[in-house]
């Protein structure tokens, strides 16, 4: 292998790809970056065995080849160089094979790693569904808190964000069995109106994509029987992410939504969040579910937030309601989960609907196109 490439492009790509490697993996190959030459381009690959990110950047190819280099060392060396045209030349001598990295004022030699156990590269020919970065960003941020964090095989399908495109609607949802977060958008990019997409983005892929969303670029999603594929572009850099698909059928979450609610109220968002967070301080030493109780005081038109701890003390705070209707009763929630849902609302007003002491509660802003459903705690 022998090529020339811009330091700025190589450094930017390596900074992104090193985060997709597995530096502590018992498989040495997963600690490296695989470099492959193409036609007037350098193709770089990073993988942890489950997820692979590939980047393509323009390069002057003098001699084609494929090599594996240590990810962290290569990225750090290139990052500390001044913007210039870099030269990478493979060199094999008795002491071993390496790549000589040359710049205007110096050079270094990096030993080539054994690439025998590097994951096979997935070639993609599937039709893609386009999303804007803003659409994917909203889909991820509005649903990520409700994804399951359990490693149990039975929960594998819940460890990610379920994306569906059907009938000109983009639907994103996530649930861990205790809570459900949903985000919907009725209009997606025109090209996707006749294309159906239905797949779960695993958490690992979601976290990687979260680093790129919000940038001005179109994102293309596709999936085949075994893999989820994501493509996007940043200037001269082309990226492709592949991740193993999660086996199983995602639950029919529409069955989780109550047909009726017995209590509804509205109140300012920030005071509600602050009150729940203060209540969590009181009881976090006693119970990892951080139980916080809420009830409507109809006579005073207030919401009462309270908590009790055998080792710390008690807490109570009252918040003036903008509106309330229905039954008045006391119910309890996991404070951390409750705060997650409240913070998903972008507007200044929270609309809270409860299906009863044992029924789920729905949290929304002004629109129900994005909502958060949470089951109450059963306290003795």
């Amino acid at each position: 292998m022998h090529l020339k490439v811009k330091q700025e492009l190589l450094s930017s790509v390596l900074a992104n790809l090193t985060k997709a490697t597995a530096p502590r993996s018992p498989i040495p190959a997963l600690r490296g970056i695989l470099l492959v030459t193409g036609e007037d381009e350098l193709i770089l690959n990073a993988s942890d065995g489950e997820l692979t990110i590939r980047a393509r950047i323009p390069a002057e190819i003098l001699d084609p080849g494929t090599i594996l280099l240590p990810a962290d060392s290569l990225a750090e060396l290139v990052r500390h160089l001044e913007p210039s045209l870099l030269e990478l030349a493979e060199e094999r001598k008795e002491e071993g094979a390496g790549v000589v990295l040359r710049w205007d004022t110096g050079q270094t030699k990096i030993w080539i790693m054994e690439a025998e156990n590097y994951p096979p590269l997935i070639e993609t020919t599937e039709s893609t569904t386009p999303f804007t970065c803003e659409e994917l960003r909203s889909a991820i941020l509005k649903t990520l808190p409700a994804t399951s964090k359990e490693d149990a095989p039975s929960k594998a399908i819940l460890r990610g964000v379920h994306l569906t495109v059907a009938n000109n609607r983009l639907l994103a949802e996530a649930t861990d069995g205790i809570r459900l977060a949903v985000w919907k958008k009725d209009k997606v990019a025109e090209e996707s109106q006749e294309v159906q997409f239905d797949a779960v983005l695993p958490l690992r892929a979601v976290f990687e994509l979260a680093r790129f969303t919000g940038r001005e670029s179109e994102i293309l999603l596709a999936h085949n029987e075994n893999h989820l594929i994501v493509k996007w572009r940043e200037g001269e850099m082309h990226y492709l992410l592949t991740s193993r698909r999660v086996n199983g059928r995602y639950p029919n979450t529409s069955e989780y939504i109550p047909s009726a609610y017995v209590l509804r109220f509205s109140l300012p968002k920030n005071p509600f969040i602050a009150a729940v967070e203060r209540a969590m301080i009181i009881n976090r030493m006693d119970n990892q579910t951080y139980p916080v109780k809420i009830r409507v005081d109809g006579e005073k038109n207030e919401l009462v937030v309270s908590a009790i701890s055998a080792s710390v003390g008690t807490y109570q705070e009252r918040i003036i309601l903008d509106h309330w209707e229905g039954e008045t009763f006391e119910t309890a929630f996991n404070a951390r989960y409750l705060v997650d849902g409240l913070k998903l609302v972008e507007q200044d007003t929270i609309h809270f609907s409860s299906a009863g002491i044992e029924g789920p509660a729905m949290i929304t802003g002004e629109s129900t196109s994005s909502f958060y459903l949470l089951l109450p705690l059963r306290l003795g």
Side-chain angles (χ1 to χ4, degrees), residues 247-322:
N247 295 324
R249 182 181 294 275
Y250 205 79
N252 182 7
T253 58
S254 61
E255 298 177 349
Y256 299 175
I257 304 174
S259 57
Y261 296 94
V262 297
L263 171 66
R264 299 176 186 270
F265 59 83
S266 303
L267 75 170
K269 178 180 68 173
N270 291 335
F272 194 7
I273 292 175
V276 176
E277 289 180 333
R278 284 190 281 266
M280 188 162 49
I281 295 172
I282 293 296
N283 61 22
R284 65 186 176 188
M285 298 297 292
D286 295 345
N287 195 324
Q288 290 303 305
T289 62
Y290 311 109
V292 59
K293 296 179 180 180
I294 64 171
R295 66 176 176 87
V296 169
D297 184 337
E299 294 183 358
K300 295 184 178 180
N301 196 45
E302 294 175 335
L303 180 72
V304 182
V305 180
S306 62
I308 185 169
S309 166
S311 59
V312 178
T314 62
Y315 169 87
Q316 185 180 97
E317 186 163 353
R318 291 173 172 265
I319 307 169
I320 297 294
L321 294 172
D322 295 335

Side-chain angles (χ1 to χ4, degrees), residues 49-269:
E50 295 290 328
L51 176 143
T52 299
I53 299 181
R54 180 186 307 172
R56 300 173 181 268
I57 55 176
E60 180 184 354
I61 308 302
L62 303 174
D63 188 19
T66 299
I67 56 173
L68 182 68
L69 296 177
D72 290 340
S73 298
L74 179 63
E76 279 294 294
L77 283 168
V78 173
R79 184 173 69 87
H80 282 87
L81 295 176
E82 296 295 327
S84 63
L85 190 63
L86 304 180
E87 182 180 0
L88 282 80
E90 185 176 353
E91 187 178 89
R92 296 184 179 272
K93 294 185 177 181
E94 291 184 2
E95 66 269 23
V99 165
V100 178
L101 172 64
R102 297 188 179 95
W103 58 97
D104 291 340
T105 58
Q107 67 176 45
T108 187
K109 188 172 184 178
I110 305 172
W111 300 120
I112 295 174
M113 301 172 64
E114 176 59 56
E116 180 180 356
N117 294 321
Y118 201 82
L121 302 180
I122 305 297
E123 297 299 331
T124 62
T125 58
E126 293 74 16
S127 60
T128 56
T129 302
F131 295 82
T132 66
C133 276
E134 185 56 36
E135 287 170 338
L136 191 58
R137 175 182 174 81
S138 296
I140 289 175
L141 295 183
K142 291 297 184 182
T143 57
L144 183 59
T147 56
S148 175
K149 308 305 186 291
E150 293 186 36
D151 291 328
S154 61
K155 295 283 188 177
I157 193 69
L158 304 182
R159 288 180 55 79
V161 173
H162 182 215
L163 282 182
T164 307
V165 176
N167 303 320
N168 196 32
R169 168 174 285 187
L170 168 60
L171 170 68
E173 58 183 349
T175 182
D176 59 5
I178 299 174
R179 48 191 174 161
L180 166 67
V182 173
W183 179 85
K184 293 180 287 188
K185 184 173 182 180
D186 287 334
K187 290 186 178 181
V188 294
E190 289 186 10
E191 294 86 345
S192 69
Q193 291 183 13
E194 299 179 358
V195 178
Q196 303 296 302
F197 182 90
D198 185 351
V200 174
L201 279 69
L203 276 181
R204 184 77 171 87
V206 168
F207 290 141
E208 288 300 322
L209 288 173
R211 296 195 292 112
F212 295 95
T213 53
R215 308 181 190 188
E216 293 189 4
S217 172
E218 184 180 60
I219 294 181
L220 304 175
L221 273 74
H223 58 85
N224 56 29
E225 185 178 353
N226 299 312
H227 291 88
L228 174 75
I229 301 105
V230 189
K231 301 178 182 179
W232 69 96
R233 177 178 179 176
E234 295 183 27
E236 296 181 90
M237 300 171 286
H238 295 253
Y239 288 95
L240 184 147
L241 179 150
T242 60
S243 175
R244 290 184 184 177
R245 287 192 64 177
V246 182
N247 295 324
R249 182 181 294 275
Y250 205 79
N252 182 7
T253 58
S254 61
E255 298 177 349
Y256 299 175
I257 304 174
S259 57
Y261 296 94
V262 297
L263 171 66
R264 299 176 186 270
F265 59 83
S266 303
L267 75 170
K269 178 180 68 173

Side-chain angles (χ1 to χ4, degrees), residues 34-47:
L34 186 70
L35 282 68
V36 182
T37 56
E39 185 175 349
D40 297 325
E41 66 179 2
L42 174 62
I43 306 167
L44 302 96
N45 303 270
S47 179

Side-chain angles (χ1 to χ4, degrees), residues 178 283 287-294 306 329-338 354 356-361 374-380:
I178 299 174
N283 61 22
N287 195 324
Q288 290 303 305
T289 62
Y290 311 109
V292 59
K293 296 179 180 180
I294 64 171
S306 62
F329 53 85
E330 185 174 69
T331 185
F333 296 94
N334 179 314
R336 183 163 55 87
Y337 289 178
L338 180 56
S354 173
I357 296 176
E358 296 186 355
L374 177 62
L375 285 172
L377 294 174
R378 294 184 179 181
L379 300 180

